[in-house]
Amino acid sequence: MEINKIAVIGAGNMGHQIALSAAISGFQVTCTDTNADILNKAIQFADSYLTERVNKGKLTSEVASQAREHLSFVPTVEQAVAEADLVIEAIIEKLAVKRKLFAQVNKLCPAHTILATNSSYIVSSKIADATTRPDKVCNMHFFNPALVMKLVEVVKGPHVSDETVDSVMNVAKKMGKTPVLLHKEIYGFLVNRLLQATRQEALKLLDMGVASFEDIDTAAMNGLGYPMGPFQLLDLTGVDLAYHVGMEKYRESGDPADRPSPTVVEKFTKGEWGKKVGRGFYDYE
Ligand code: 3HC
């Protein structure tokens, strides 16, 4: 199936960049968020990003103005999904909230529409049965910052049709991304499983007082060639996300080892959620 119209639900850290990336690639995009402030920030970001790209010579003014015309920010899910061929959900990492949204979207969008989740960890089979179209519900996982990062993980759960997978892989390619296909559902997919191993160890080293977070970042960048250290990356992806993911996993497994680390809990409680709020491990003010 050819996809022309994409709806992105959630205009936060990931959603606003997924929407903009799709609009720059020629898709008609509608983006929504329940939080008016977040939606306004997304609009401002789109305007300033496109202007900056043109000034930097990275986009022609024609492509930038077409992208802006193709991208509309709307206040309700109803408006966002009414004509969508593909819906990409990028809301909070809470299973119950996602299931409720998918059930709602299922009723509001056309029968042919594919419903994808950008969840970092939750496999789509945990959501698909909240809809009447499980064969069209899959994971399409982007990376932060989504305008820059090339990878998209597409996951073929047992309920997902080949047509759905083909369509989503094609959308990712048309967005200039490099999709990889997972033939099995697995918690955390590929990248977050690798990332989690590094992150857990970095937090453990910090909690043990072995080195400062700055020096652990320096070690990862200069000793392993990582573009960012694990704490810089935590600030970029959001301490709140790490907290919610850990809590979700702990709720499911009951294993205390799955709980977010004490440092993550402390940062979360203090509201030091990373770059988006101006302070995380580092100060961005
Ligand atoms: N939004 C949009 N564009 C951005 C950006 C942002 N937040 N940050 C940087 N860029 C762009 C710049 O505009 C620049 O573009 P250009 O070269 O075309 O002009 C380019 O990226 C390079 O930027 P800088 O020179 O300012 O900075 P760096 O070279 O240090 O690159 C980075 C920044 C791309 C963020 C790089 O540090 C990086 O790759 N970091 C690792 C990011 C990563 O690992 N992401 C995955 C996280 S895991 C995840 O998302 C999974 C989820 O489920 C949690």
Side-chain angles (χ1 to χ4, degrees):
M1 187 187 72
E2 208 192 331
I3 308 262
N4 296 308
K5 296 183 178 174
I6 298 180
V8 178
I9 305 183
N13 229 5
M14 295 299 293
H16 77 284
Q17 292 213 2
I18 296 171
L20 189 49
S21 186
I24 292 170
S25 314
F27 291 98
Q28 290 278 353
V29 183
T30 46
C31 179
T32 189
D33 200 290
T34 49
N35 183 322
D37 284 346
I38 289 180
L39 205 55
N40 283 332
K41 270 194 193 157
I43 297 169
Q44 280 164 20
F45 178 85
D47 292 337
S48 62
Y49 179 83
L50 290 170
T51 307
E52 191 192 302
R53 296 308 275 171
V54 173
N55 292 342
K56 261 188 168 178
K58 300 273 178 170
L59 278 184
T60 64
S61 49
E62 290 75 27
V63 171
S65 59
Q66 255 176 30
R68 193 61 191 84
E69 276 167 33
H70 285 163
L71 178 59
S72 49
F73 293 92
V74 295
T76 66
V77 171
E78 286 85 338
Q79 286 164 284
V81 306
E83 293 178 7
D85 302 313
L86 167 67
V87 175
I88 303 173
E89 165 272 311
I91 66 165
I92 193 166
E93 284 291 85
K94 286 190 176 171
L95 178 59
V97 185
K98 287 189 194 289
R99 284 183 61 86
K100 199 169 161 202
L101 177 71
F102 272 72
Q104 181 194 12
V105 170
N106 180 55
K107 290 194 189 127
L108 294 170
C109 64
H112 72 270
T113 308
I114 292 173
L115 311 182
T117 174
N118 177 56
S119 175
S120 301
Y121 289 89
I122 300 170
V123 293
S124 72
S125 59
K126 291 195 184 284
I127 304 173
D129 66 340
T131 76
T132 53
R133 59 182 94 194
D135 59 313
K136 295 187 176 66
V137 178
C138 72
N139 290 92
M140 182 182 196
H141 183 215
F142 292 82
F143 294 84
N144 196 332
L147 280 158
V148 181
M149 303 303 282
K150 291 282 177 215
L151 190 73
V152 174
E153 291 173 327
V154 179
V155 186
K156 188 178 173 348
H159 55 286
V160 186
S161 70
D162 290 336
E163 292 73 28
T164 297
V165 167
D166 289 347
S167 299
V168 170
M169 295 285 282
N170 285 334
V171 169
K173 285 180 198 156
K174 202 177 155 195
M175 286 174 72
K177 304 294 186 195
T178 308
V180 291
L181 178 62
L182 277 73
H183 303 279
K184 282 182 182 178
E185 290 194 327
I186 187 162
Y187 180 85
F189 317 123
L190 303 178
V191 172
N192 274 330
R193 292 181 78 87
L194 298 170
L195 177 62
Q196 198 61 12
T198 313
R199 180 172 287 176
Q200 287 305 102
E201 195 56 32
L203 284 161
K204 195 166 137 193
L205 290 167
L206 180 68
D207 288 340
M208 285 164 68
V210 174
S212 67
F213 67 83
E214 291 96 334
D215 278 356
I216 297 171
D217 276 352
T218 301
M221 287 189 286
N222 292 295
L224 292 168
Y226 286 10
M228 275 184 165
F231 295 99
Q232 290 172 323
L233 200 50
L234 253 168
D235 276 356
L236 178 71
T237 56
V239 173
D240 55 328
L241 176 68
Y243 174 84
H244 288 306
V245 163
M247 288 307 289
E248 232 6 75
K249 193 167 184 206
Y250 171 57
R251 262 193 285 274
E252 204 170 289
S253 69
D255 181 351
D258 287 334
R259 275 199 185 123
S261 91
T263 303
V264 168
V265 174
E266 187 194 323
K267 291 261 164 215
F268 176 79
T269 312
K270 281 190 188 159
E272 293 176 0
W273 294 0
K275 221 169 172 181
K276 62 184 165 190
V277 295
R279 182 160 190 88
F281 286 90
Y282 293 87
D283 192 352
Y284 301 91
E285 294 291 306

Short mmCIF file of all heavy atoms in Angstrom, two decimals, residues 117-167:
data_model
loop_
_atom_site.label_atom_id
_atom_site.label_comp_id
_atom_site.label_asym_id
_atom_site.label_seq_id
_atom_site.Cartn_x
_atom_site.Cartn_y
_atom_site.Cartn_z
N THR A 117 3.80 2.08 16.51
CA THR A 117 4.24 2.71 17.76
C THR A 117 5.74 2.93 17.70
O THR A 117 6.50 2.07 17.26
CB THR A 117 3.87 1.87 19.01
OG1 THR A 117 4.47 2.49 20.16
CG2 THR A 117 4.30 0.42 18.93
N ASN A 118 6.14 4.12 18.15
CA ASN A 118 7.56 4.46 18.25
C ASN A 118 8.11 4.05 19.63
O ASN A 118 9.21 4.47 20.00
CB ASN A 118 7.74 5.97 18.02
CG ASN A 118 9.18 6.41 18.17
OD1 ASN A 118 10.07 5.89 17.50
ND2 ASN A 118 9.44 7.35 19.08
N SER A 119 7.38 3.23 20.35
CA SER A 119 7.83 2.85 21.68
C SER A 119 9.29 2.36 21.68
O SER A 119 9.73 1.69 20.75
CB SER A 119 6.95 1.73 22.24
OG SER A 119 7.48 1.30 23.47
N SER A 120 10.01 2.70 22.74
CA SER A 120 11.41 2.28 22.86
C SER A 120 11.53 0.81 23.25
O SER A 120 12.54 0.17 22.99
CB SER A 120 12.10 3.10 23.95
OG SER A 120 12.04 4.45 23.66
N TYR A 121 10.52 0.31 23.93
CA TYR A 121 10.63 -1.03 24.51
C TYR A 121 9.38 -1.91 24.30
O TYR A 121 9.48 -3.12 24.26
CB TYR A 121 10.87 -0.93 26.03
CG TYR A 121 12.23 -0.43 26.37
CD1 TYR A 121 12.49 0.93 26.50
CD2 TYR A 121 13.29 -1.32 26.54
CE1 TYR A 121 13.76 1.40 26.81
CE2 TYR A 121 14.56 -0.87 26.85
CZ TYR A 121 14.79 0.50 26.98
OH TYR A 121 16.05 0.94 27.27
N ILE A 122 8.20 -1.30 24.26
CA ILE A 122 6.97 -2.09 24.29
C ILE A 122 6.70 -2.70 22.91
O ILE A 122 6.59 -1.97 21.91
CB ILE A 122 5.77 -1.20 24.73
CG1 ILE A 122 6.02 -0.63 26.14
CG2 ILE A 122 4.47 -1.97 24.66
CD1 ILE A 122 5.03 0.45 26.57
N VAL A 123 6.59 -4.02 22.87
CA VAL A 123 6.33 -4.69 21.59
C VAL A 123 4.86 -4.51 21.21
O VAL A 123 3.99 -4.43 22.08
CB VAL A 123 6.70 -6.20 21.66
CG1 VAL A 123 8.20 -6.36 21.82
CG2 VAL A 123 5.95 -6.92 22.76
N SER A 124 4.61 -4.47 19.89
CA SER A 124 3.26 -4.10 19.44
C SER A 124 2.20 -5.16 19.76
O SER A 124 1.01 -4.85 19.79
CB SER A 124 3.25 -3.75 17.95
OG SER A 124 3.41 -4.90 17.17
N SER A 125 2.61 -6.41 20.03
CA SER A 125 1.58 -7.42 20.36
C SER A 125 0.90 -7.10 21.69
O SER A 125 -0.18 -7.61 21.96
CB SER A 125 2.18 -8.83 20.39
OG SER A 125 3.21 -8.89 21.34
N LYS A 126 1.53 -6.25 22.50
CA LYS A 126 0.89 -5.86 23.76
C LYS A 126 -0.17 -4.78 23.53
O LYS A 126 -0.92 -4.42 24.44
CB LYS A 126 1.94 -5.32 24.75
CG LYS A 126 2.88 -6.39 25.24
CD LYS A 126 3.63 -5.91 26.46
CE LYS A 126 4.65 -6.90 26.94
NZ LYS A 126 4.08 -8.02 27.65
N ILE A 127 -0.21 -4.24 22.31
CA ILE A 127 -1.12 -3.14 22.00
C ILE A 127 -2.14 -3.54 20.94
O ILE A 127 -3.27 -3.08 20.92
CB ILE A 127 -0.30 -1.92 21.47
CG1 ILE A 127 0.77 -1.51 22.49
CG2 ILE A 127 -1.20 -0.76 21.13
CD1 ILE A 127 1.72 -0.44 21.98
N ALA A 128 -1.71 -4.45 20.03
CA ALA A 128 -2.49 -4.76 18.83
C ALA A 128 -3.92 -5.20 19.15
O ALA A 128 -4.86 -4.88 18.42
CB ALA A 128 -1.78 -5.84 18.03
N ASP A 129 -4.10 -5.95 20.25
CA ASP A 129 -5.44 -6.46 20.55
C ASP A 129 -6.37 -5.39 21.14
O ASP A 129 -7.54 -5.67 21.41
CB ASP A 129 -5.37 -7.70 21.45
CG ASP A 129 -4.84 -7.40 22.83
OD1 ASP A 129 -4.17 -6.35 22.99
OD2 ASP A 129 -5.08 -8.18 23.76
N ALA A 130 -5.86 -4.19 21.28
CA ALA A 130 -6.76 -3.07 21.65
C ALA A 130 -7.44 -2.52 20.39
O ALA A 130 -8.28 -1.62 20.49
CB ALA A 130 -5.97 -1.97 22.34
N THR A 131 -7.07 -3.06 19.23
CA THR A 131 -7.65 -2.60 17.96
C THR A 131 -8.35 -3.78 17.27
O THR A 131 -8.21 -4.92 17.70
CB THR A 131 -6.54 -2.09 17.00
OG1 THR A 131 -5.86 -3.22 16.44
CG2 THR A 131 -5.54 -1.19 17.69
N THR A 132 -9.04 -3.45 16.16
CA THR A 132 -9.65 -4.53 15.37
C THR A 132 -8.81 -4.85 14.14
O THR A 132 -9.29 -5.49 13.22
CB THR A 132 -11.06 -4.11 14.93
OG1 THR A 132 -10.96 -2.84 14.28
CG2 THR A 132 -12.02 -4.02 16.11
N ARG A 133 -7.56 -4.36 14.13
CA ARG A 133 -6.71 -4.56 12.95
C ARG A 133 -5.29 -4.96 13.37
O ARG A 133 -4.31 -4.28 13.00
CB ARG A 133 -6.68 -3.29 12.11
CG ARG A 133 -6.14 -2.09 12.87
CD ARG A 133 -6.15 -0.82 12.07
NE ARG A 133 -7.36 -0.07 12.31
CZ ARG A 133 -7.77 0.93 11.56
NH1 ARG A 133 -7.09 1.29 10.51
NH2 ARG A 133 -8.88 1.57 11.84
N PRO A 134 -5.13 -6.03 14.16
CA PRO A 134 -3.80 -6.38 14.66
C PRO A 134 -2.76 -6.57 13.55
O PRO A 134 -1.58 -6.30 13.76
CB PRO A 134 -4.03 -7.68 15.44
CG PRO A 134 -5.41 -8.10 15.14
CD PRO A 134 -6.18 -6.93 14.65
N ASP A 135 -3.21 -7.02 12.37
CA ASP A 135 -2.25 -7.22 11.27
C ASP A 135 -1.63 -5.91 10.80
O ASP A 135 -0.61 -5.90 10.12
CB ASP A 135 -2.94 -7.92 10.09
CG ASP A 135 -4.13 -7.12 9.57
OD1 ASP A 135 -4.96 -6.66 10.39
OD2 ASP A 135 -4.21 -6.90 8.34
N LYS A 136 -2.24 -4.81 11.17
CA LYS A 136 -1.74 -3.48 10.75
C LYS A 136 -1.14 -2.69 11.92
O LYS A 136 -1.01 -1.48 11.83
CB LYS A 136 -2.89 -2.67 10.13
CG LYS A 136 -3.44 -3.26 8.84
CD LYS A 136 -4.45 -2.32 8.20
CE LYS A 136 -4.94 -2.86 6.87
NZ LYS A 136 -5.72 -4.11 7.00
N VAL A 137 -0.78 -3.39 12.99
CA VAL A 137 -0.21 -2.70 14.15
C VAL A 137 1.23 -3.20 14.35
O VAL A 137 1.45 -4.40 14.52
CB VAL A 137 -1.03 -2.98 15.43
CG1 VAL A 137 -0.41 -2.31 16.65
CG2 VAL A 137 -2.47 -2.51 15.25
N CYS A 138 2.20 -2.28 14.29
CA CYS A 138 3.60 -2.73 14.41
C CYS A 138 4.46 -1.70 15.11
O CYS A 138 4.01 -0.59 15.39
CB CYS A 138 4.18 -3.06 13.04
SG CYS A 138 4.50 -1.62 12.05
N ASN A 139 5.70 -2.07 15.37
CA ASN A 139 6.68 -1.13 15.93
C ASN A 139 7.45 -0.47 14.78
O ASN A 139 7.89 -1.14 13.84
CB ASN A 139 7.70 -1.87 16.80
CG ASN A 139 7.10 -2.38 18.09
OD1 ASN A 139 6.63 -3.51 18.15
ND2 ASN A 139 7.09 -1.55 19.12
N MET A 140 7.59 0.84 14.89
CA MET A 140 8.44 1.61 13.97
C MET A 140 9.22 2.55 14.87
O MET A 140 8.71 3.59 15.28
CB MET A 140 7.55 2.38 12.98
CG MET A 140 8.33 3.17 11.97
SD MET A 140 7.24 4.11 10.86
CE MET A 140 8.41 4.48 9.54
N HIS A 141 10.43 2.16 15.19
CA HIS A 141 11.18 2.83 16.27
C HIS A 141 12.30 3.72 15.72
O HIS A 141 13.24 3.24 15.10
CB HIS A 141 11.76 1.76 17.20
CG HIS A 141 12.47 2.32 18.37
ND1 HIS A 141 13.58 1.75 18.92
CD2 HIS A 141 12.23 3.44 19.12
CE1 HIS A 141 14.00 2.47 19.95
NE2 HIS A 141 13.19 3.50 20.07
N PHE A 142 12.15 5.03 15.96
CA PHE A 142 13.13 6.02 15.53
C PHE A 142 14.09 6.30 16.69
O PHE A 142 13.83 5.95 17.84
CB PHE A 142 12.42 7.33 15.16
CG PHE A 142 11.56 7.24 13.93
CD1 PHE A 142 10.27 6.72 14.00
CD2 PHE A 142 12.03 7.68 12.70
CE1 PHE A 142 9.47 6.63 12.86
CE2 PHE A 142 11.24 7.61 11.57
CZ PHE A 142 9.95 7.08 11.66
N PHE A 143 15.17 7.03 16.37
CA PHE A 143 16.19 7.35 17.37
C PHE A 143 16.39 8.86 17.48
O PHE A 143 16.16 9.59 16.53
CB PHE A 143 17.50 6.60 17.02
CG PHE A 143 17.28 5.14 17.15
CD1 PHE A 143 16.73 4.41 16.11
CD2 PHE A 143 17.50 4.51 18.36
CE1 PHE A 143 16.43 3.07 16.26
CE2 PHE A 143 17.20 3.17 18.52
CZ PHE A 143 16.66 2.45 17.48
N ASN A 144 16.80 9.26 18.64
CA ASN A 144 16.90 10.66 19.01
C ASN A 144 18.31 11.21 18.73
O ASN A 144 19.27 10.59 19.17
CB ASN A 144 16.60 10.74 20.53
CG ASN A 144 16.30 12.13 20.98
OD1 ASN A 144 16.76 13.10 20.39
ND2 ASN A 144 15.55 12.25 22.05
N PRO A 145 18.47 12.31 18.02
CA PRO A 145 17.44 13.15 17.42
C PRO A 145 16.98 12.59 16.07
O PRO A 145 17.80 12.30 15.20
CB PRO A 145 18.16 14.50 17.23
CG PRO A 145 19.63 14.18 17.24
CD PRO A 145 19.84 12.87 17.93
N ALA A 146 15.67 12.46 15.94
CA ALA A 146 15.09 11.72 14.80
C ALA A 146 15.36 12.40 13.44
O ALA A 146 15.30 11.74 12.41
CB ALA A 146 13.59 11.54 15.02
N LEU A 147 15.66 13.70 13.46
CA LEU A 147 16.00 14.35 12.19
C LEU A 147 17.38 13.94 11.71
O LEU A 147 17.69 14.06 10.52
CB LEU A 147 15.95 15.88 12.35
CG LEU A 147 14.56 16.49 12.29
CD1 LEU A 147 14.53 17.85 12.97
CD2 LEU A 147 14.05 16.61 10.86
N VAL A 148 18.20 13.46 12.63
CA VAL A 148 19.60 13.15 12.30
C VAL A 148 19.84 11.66 12.20
O VAL A 148 20.50 11.18 11.28
CB VAL A 148 20.55 13.73 13.38
CG1 VAL A 148 22.01 13.43 13.04
CG2 VAL A 148 20.33 15.22 13.59
N MET A 149 19.31 10.91 13.15
CA MET A 149 19.66 9.49 13.26
C MET A 149 19.00 8.70 12.13
O MET A 149 17.80 8.83 11.89
CB MET A 149 19.24 8.92 14.62
CG MET A 149 19.84 9.64 15.83
SD MET A 149 21.64 9.70 15.84
CE MET A 149 22.02 8.04 16.39
N LYS A 150 19.81 7.87 11.49
CA LYS A 150 19.34 7.18 10.27
C LYS A 150 18.54 5.90 10.57
O LYS A 150 17.77 5.44 9.74
CB LYS A 150 20.54 6.79 9.40
CG LYS A 150 21.25 7.97 8.77
CD LYS A 150 20.46 8.48 7.59
CE LYS A 150 21.08 9.71 6.96
NZ LYS A 150 20.11 10.64 6.45
N LEU A 151 18.78 5.32 11.72
CA LEU A 151 18.19 3.99 11.94
C LEU A 151 16.70 4.05 12.29
O LEU A 151 16.25 4.94 13.01
CB LEU A 151 18.92 3.26 13.07
CG LEU A 151 18.53 1.79 13.21
CD1 LEU A 151 19.13 0.97 12.08
CD2 LEU A 151 18.97 1.21 14.55
N VAL A 152 15.95 3.09 11.74
CA VAL A 152 14.57 2.84 12.18
C VAL A 152 14.44 1.33 12.37
O VAL A 152 14.78 0.56 11.46
CB VAL A 152 13.53 3.33 11.14
CG1 VAL A 152 12.12 2.91 11.55
CG2 VAL A 152 13.59 4.84 10.97
N GLU A 153 13.99 0.91 13.55
CA GLU A 153 13.76 -0.51 13.78
C GLU A 153 12.30 -0.83 13.48
O GLU A 153 11.40 -0.19 14.05
CB GLU A 153 14.07 -0.87 15.24
CG GLU A 153 15.54 -0.78 15.60
CD GLU A 153 15.82 -0.96 17.09
OE1 GLU A 153 14.98 -0.55 17.92
OE2 GLU A 153 16.88 -1.50 17.42
N VAL A 154 12.08 -1.79 12.59
CA VAL A 154 10.72 -2.24 12.28
C VAL A 154 10.61 -3.67 12.81
O VAL A 154 11.50 -4.49 12.55
CB VAL A 154 10.46 -2.19 10.76
CG1 VAL A 154 9.05 -2.69 10.44
CG2 VAL A 154 10.67 -0.77 10.22
N VAL A 155 9.55 -3.94 13.55
CA VAL A 155 9.45 -5.25 14.19
C VAL A 155 8.24 -6.01 13.67
O VAL A 155 7.10 -5.50 13.73
CB VAL A 155 9.35 -5.11 15.73
CG1 VAL A 155 9.41 -6.48 16.40
CG2 VAL A 155 10.45 -4.20 16.27
N LYS A 156 8.52 -7.21 13.16
CA LYS A 156 7.41 -8.03 12.66
C LYS A 156 6.98 -9.00 13.75
O LYS A 156 7.49 -10.12 13.85
CB LYS A 156 7.84 -8.79 11.39
CG LYS A 156 6.65 -9.50 10.75
CD LYS A 156 7.03 -10.21 9.48
CE LYS A 156 5.88 -11.05 8.93
NZ LYS A 156 4.73 -11.30 9.76
N GLY A 157 6.04 -8.54 14.56
CA GLY A 157 5.44 -9.44 15.55
C GLY A 157 4.62 -10.50 14.83
O GLY A 157 4.33 -10.36 13.64
N PRO A 158 4.23 -11.56 15.56
CA PRO A 158 3.52 -12.67 14.91
C PRO A 158 2.18 -12.26 14.30
O PRO A 158 1.68 -12.92 13.39
CB PRO A 158 3.30 -13.67 16.06
CG PRO A 158 3.56 -12.92 17.31
CD PRO A 158 4.47 -11.79 16.98
N HIS A 159 1.60 -11.16 14.78
CA HIS A 159 0.30 -10.70 14.30
C HIS A 159 0.40 -9.76 13.09
O HIS A 159 -0.59 -9.39 12.51
CB HIS A 159 -0.40 -9.93 15.44
CG HIS A 159 0.46 -8.82 15.96
ND1 HIS A 159 1.56 -9.05 16.75
CD2 HIS A 159 0.42 -7.48 15.75
CE1 HIS A 159 2.16 -7.90 17.03
NE2 HIS A 159 1.49 -6.93 16.43
N VAL A 160 1.62 -9.35 12.74
CA VAL A 160 1.81 -8.29 11.72
C VAL A 160 1.90 -8.89 10.32
O VAL A 160 2.62 -9.87 10.11
CB VAL A 160 3.10 -7.48 12.01
CG1 VAL A 160 3.20 -6.29 11.06
CG2 VAL A 160 3.15 -7.01 13.45
N SER A 161 1.17 -8.31 9.36
CA SER A 161 1.19 -8.86 8.00
C SER A 161 2.45 -8.42 7.26
O SER A 161 3.05 -7.38 7.58
CB SER A 161 -0.04 -8.41 7.22
OG SER A 161 0.05 -7.04 6.93
N ASP A 162 2.82 -9.17 6.23
CA ASP A 162 3.97 -8.81 5.39
C ASP A 162 3.73 -7.47 4.72
O ASP A 162 4.64 -6.67 4.55
CB ASP A 162 4.20 -9.88 4.31
CG ASP A 162 4.72 -11.17 4.91
OD1 ASP A 162 5.31 -11.11 6.01
OD2 ASP A 162 4.53 -12.23 4.30
N GLU A 163 2.47 -7.22 4.32
CA GLU A 163 2.14 -5.95 3.63
C GLU A 163 2.43 -4.76 4.55
O GLU A 163 2.95 -3.74 4.12
CB GLU A 163 0.65 -5.91 3.23
CG GLU A 163 0.25 -6.90 2.14
CD GLU A 163 0.21 -8.34 2.63
OE1 GLU A 163 -0.03 -8.57 3.84
OE2 GLU A 163 0.45 -9.24 1.81
N THR A 164 2.06 -4.91 5.83
CA THR A 164 2.30 -3.83 6.78
C THR A 164 3.79 -3.56 6.90
O THR A 164 4.24 -2.41 6.83
CB THR A 164 1.71 -4.20 8.16
OG1 THR A 164 0.30 -4.33 8.01
CG2 THR A 164 2.00 -3.15 9.21
N VAL A 165 4.56 -4.63 7.06
CA VAL A 165 6.01 -4.49 7.21
C VAL A 165 6.60 -3.82 5.96
O VAL A 165 7.39 -2.87 6.07
CB VAL A 165 6.68 -5.87 7.45
CG1 VAL A 165 8.19 -5.80 7.29
CG2 VAL A 165 6.34 -6.37 8.84
N ASP A 166 6.19 -4.27 4.78
CA ASP A 166 6.72 -3.68 3.53
C ASP A 166 6.41 -2.19 3.47
O ASP A 166 7.26 -1.38 3.12
CB ASP A 166 6.10 -4.37 2.30
CG ASP A 166 6.64 -5.78 2.14
OD1 ASP A 166 7.63 -6.10 2.82
OD2 ASP A 166 6.05 -6.55 1.35
N SER A 167 5.16 -1.84 3.79
CA SER A 167 4.77 -0.42 3.72
C SER A 167 5.60 0.42 4.68
O SER A 167 6.07 1.51 4.33
CB SER A 167 3.28 -0.24 4.07
OG SER A 167 2.50 -0.95 3.17
#
